[in-house]
């Protein structure tokens, strides 16, 4: 059995797609990866053949990228296509119809809500975009031979679609990789890793850092240009010299920053996209042995409370965030115990070795 991992949106070196799933599958099956990039190329990376098709210059021309991925898929000798979003599921269904390939659909998100949140779409049509995407996905999902999701909430969605072969391959961290990365030379009080935007709590984190006189390092990308301008102006107007927007960094650099911090943030605001989700960054904080201040959203708080690895707060309430920071800084023994609890939880449950076994089982089920 040869597996073609195929995406029309994600970069080839996406953490889940390449470093976790492709590397794991390559231990047991021949694997090739097709993904979009700024330029077209083909080479072997970490002993995995990668075909990068040229990405269209505008999101409005995404159909061009989809077509290029489809053509690359037609030229690829494989028996299983492992796809990662609704548009690549469409490509996979076409490949199945034309060449008889089997399909594993790997759903990472509630795609309707996620796509509708894109600033590309004006507010009046966001609901239409969300509903249309959900209908599109629901029509294509029955053609998949197996469905993989990142959590039980998403898995239940596809079971309600009527699909009987649904498995959870959680996006857990790779502990052995994390353990080999040293802490950075900076001693940050607070660290946040992820997309930088209002709905991810950036303004509350900045104000809380200012009020507690703590240094804050934010590692990630601005989610759009409007966000970037607004946030930069906010920091400049307040004269927040203790706030450092570092920008996107490769995962080893982000892990080094986490390891050099006292407290880590996961202050997502309520949203259909992530109300029940467990962000991978939350688990990475736990893997690095850091106490966490996190939103009281259902998915996040269930992990934090069960692992006893931090404090949950109302993400819109800066007073509660400030109180949580002060408590952890003033009670170092409690903070250290929370950090150790988080690390133990990842060793026992939230690690890629656990998820990898489920992935192998799904792939082997397609050989019968």
């Amino acid at each position: 059995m040869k597996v073609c991992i195929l995406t029309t949106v994600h970069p080839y070196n996406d953490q889940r797609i390449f470093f976790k799933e492709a590397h794991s599958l390559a231990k047991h099956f021949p694997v090739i990866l097709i993904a979009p990039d700024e330029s077209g190329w083909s080479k072997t990376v970490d002993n995995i053949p990668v075909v990068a098709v040229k990405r269209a210059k505008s999101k409005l021309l995404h159909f061009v990228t989809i077509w290029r991925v489809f053509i690359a898929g037609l030229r690829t000798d494989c028996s299983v296509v492992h796809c990662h979003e609704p548009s690549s599921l469409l490509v996979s269904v076409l490949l199945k119809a034309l060449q008889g390939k089997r399909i594993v659909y790997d759903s990472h998100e509630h795609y309707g809500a996620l796509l509708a949140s894109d600033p590309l779409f004006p507010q009046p049509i966001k609901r239409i975009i969300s509903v249309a995407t959900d209908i599109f996905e629901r029509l294509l999902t029955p053609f998949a031979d197996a469905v993989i999701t990142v959590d039980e909430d998403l898995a239940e969605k596809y079971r309600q679609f009527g699909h009987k072969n649904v498995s959870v391959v959680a996006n857990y961290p790779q502990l052995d990789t994390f353990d080999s990365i040293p802490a950075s030379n900076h001693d940050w009080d607070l660290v946040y890793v992820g997309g930088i935007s209002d709905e991810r709590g950036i303004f509350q984190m900045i104000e809380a850092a200012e009020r507690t006189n703590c240094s804050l390092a934010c590692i990630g990308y601005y989610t759009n240009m409007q966000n970037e301008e607004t946030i930069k102006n906010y920091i400049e107007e307040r004269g927040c010299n203790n706030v450092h927007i570092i920008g996107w960094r490769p995962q080893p650099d982000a892990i080094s920053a986490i390891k050099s911090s006292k407290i880590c943030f996961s202050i997502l605001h309520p949203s259909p996209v992530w109300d029940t989700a467990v962000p991978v960054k939350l688990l990475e904080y736990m893997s690095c042995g850091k106490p966490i201040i996190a939103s009281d959203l259902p998915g996040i708080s269930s992990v934090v409370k069960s692992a006893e690895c931090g404090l949950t707060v109302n993400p819109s309430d800066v007073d509660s965030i400030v109180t949580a920071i002060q408590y952890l800084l003033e009670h170092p023994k409690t903070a250290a115990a929370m950090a150790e609890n988080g690390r133990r939880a990842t060793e026992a449950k939230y690690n890629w070795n656990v998820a990898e076994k489920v992935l192998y089982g799904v792939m082997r089920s397609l050989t019968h």
Side-chain angles (χ1 to χ4, degrees):
M1 183 174 80
K2 185 174 182 179
V3 179
C4 174
I5 298 177
L6 186 149
T7 174
T8 53
V9 174
H10 295 80
Y12 88 89
N13 58 351
D14 176 88
Q15 198 65 37
R16 174 180 175 87
I17 293 173
F18 183 68
F19 289 103
K20 293 178 181 176
E21 293 180 325
H23 277 69
S24 291
L25 291 174
K27 297 175 187 176
H28 298 274
F29 311 101
V31 171
I32 186 170
L33 172 60
I34 300 173
D37 192 59
E38 299 311 309
S39 59
W41 50 266
S42 179
K43 62 183 179 183
T44 299
V45 184
D46 295 350
N47 295 318
I48 297 171
V50 177
V51 176
V53 303
K54 187 174 176 58
R55 188 194 302 272
K57 292 183 178 180
S58 168
K59 289 182 180 179
L60 295 174
L61 297 174
H62 183 54
F63 67 91
V64 175
T65 304
I66 294 172
W67 174 255
R68 290 169 178 166
V69 170
F70 169 65
I71 295 301
L74 275 177
R75 296 170 177 167
T76 301
D77 176 25
C78 68
S79 53
V80 175
V81 180
H82 181 173
C83 57
H84 290 268
E85 55 276 312
S87 52
S88 65
L89 176 57
L90 171 62
V91 170
S92 301
V93 170
L94 294 174
L95 294 175
K96 182 173 188 174
L98 294 172
Q99 298 180 328
K101 301 181 192 294
R102 308 195 79 181
I103 300 172
V104 174
Y105 179 41
D106 193 339
S107 174
H108 312 178
E109 309 276 358
H110 290 280
Y111 287 111
L114 181 66
L115 186 60
S117 68
D118 195 311
L120 176 70
F121 301 112
Q123 191 63 41
I125 69 167
K126 286 185 180 292
R127 176 63 180 165
I128 297 172
I129 293 296
S130 178
V131 172
T133 302
D134 287 341
I135 293 172
F136 176 77
E137 189 182 27
R138 186 166 194 149
L139 290 172
L140 291 179
T141 301
F143 292 97
D145 298 279
V147 175
I148 289 172
T149 71
V150 293
D151 57 40
E152 278 295 339
D153 181 60
L154 269 173
E156 187 57 31
K157 168 185 168 181
Y158 295 104
R159 292 183 187 117
Q160 289 178 0
F161 284 2
H163 211 290
K164 299 192 180 342
N165 189 7
V166 182
S167 304
V168 175
V169 178
N171 207 13
Y172 292 156
Q174 297 162 298
L175 293 188
D176 52 349
T177 301
F178 282 28
D179 291 344
S180 65
I181 300 172
S184 73
N185 295 326
H186 292 282
D187 290 320
W188 303 110
D189 295 316
L190 311 169
V191 160
Y192 165 74
V193 178
I196 297 172
S197 65
D198 184 7
E199 61 270 20
R200 291 169 173 82
I202 185 61
F203 295 113
Q204 288 78 16
M205 288 188 281
I206 290 172
E207 185 177 343
E210 187 180 25
R211 287 172 53 180
T212 55
N213 196 31
C214 287
S215 60
L216 168 65
C218 297
I219 301 166
Y221 54 87
Y222 290 100
T223 56
N224 59 61
M225 292 179 65
Q226 183 179 359
N227 257 328
E228 181 174 359
E229 183 179 356
T230 303
I231 295 163
K232 285 182 175 178
N233 289 339
Y234 181 83
I235 293 172
E236 184 176 348
E237 289 168 4
R238 298 177 75 95
C240 303
N241 296 325
N242 57 327
V243 175
H244 304 268
I245 307 294
I246 295 174
W248 181 88
R249 291 291 183 273
Q251 190 188 52
D253 293 350
I255 298 306
S256 289
I258 292 170
K259 287 188 173 184
S260 69
S261 70
K262 293 184 176 72
I263 300 168
C264 291
F265 276 136
S266 182
I267 312 290
L268 294 176
H269 288 206
S271 162
V273 177
W274 49 57
D275 278 356
T276 58
V278 178
V280 66
K281 296 307 175 194
L282 176 70
L283 303 176
E284 290 177 355
Y285 298 155
M286 294 164 62
S287 300
C288 293
K290 296 297 172 180
I292 299 160
I293 296 175
S295 302
D296 56 4
L297 300 181
I300 294 174
S301 62
S302 66
V303 172
V304 173
K305 290 178 179 179
S306 65
E308 298 182 345
C309 62
L311 302 173
T312 57
V313 297
N314 179 340
S316 300
D317 184 0
V318 178
D319 287 341
S320 67
I321 298 170
V322 168
T323 299
I325 293 170
Q326 292 172 333
Y327 178 84
L328 292 175
L329 294 178
E330 292 168 5
H331 298 82
K333 290 185 179 179
T334 301
M338 290 177 175
E340 181 60 28
N341 289 343
R343 173 64 190 195
R344 275 202 300 265
T346 58
E347 291 173 347
K349 180 178 180 181
Y350 304 114
N351 66 80
W352 182 246
N353 289 340
V354 173
E356 183 182 59
K357 293 174 183 176
V358 180
L359 179 62
Y360 291 154
V362 171
M363 289 300 177
R364 289 191 175 113
S365 71
L366 301 183
T367 64
H368 298 155

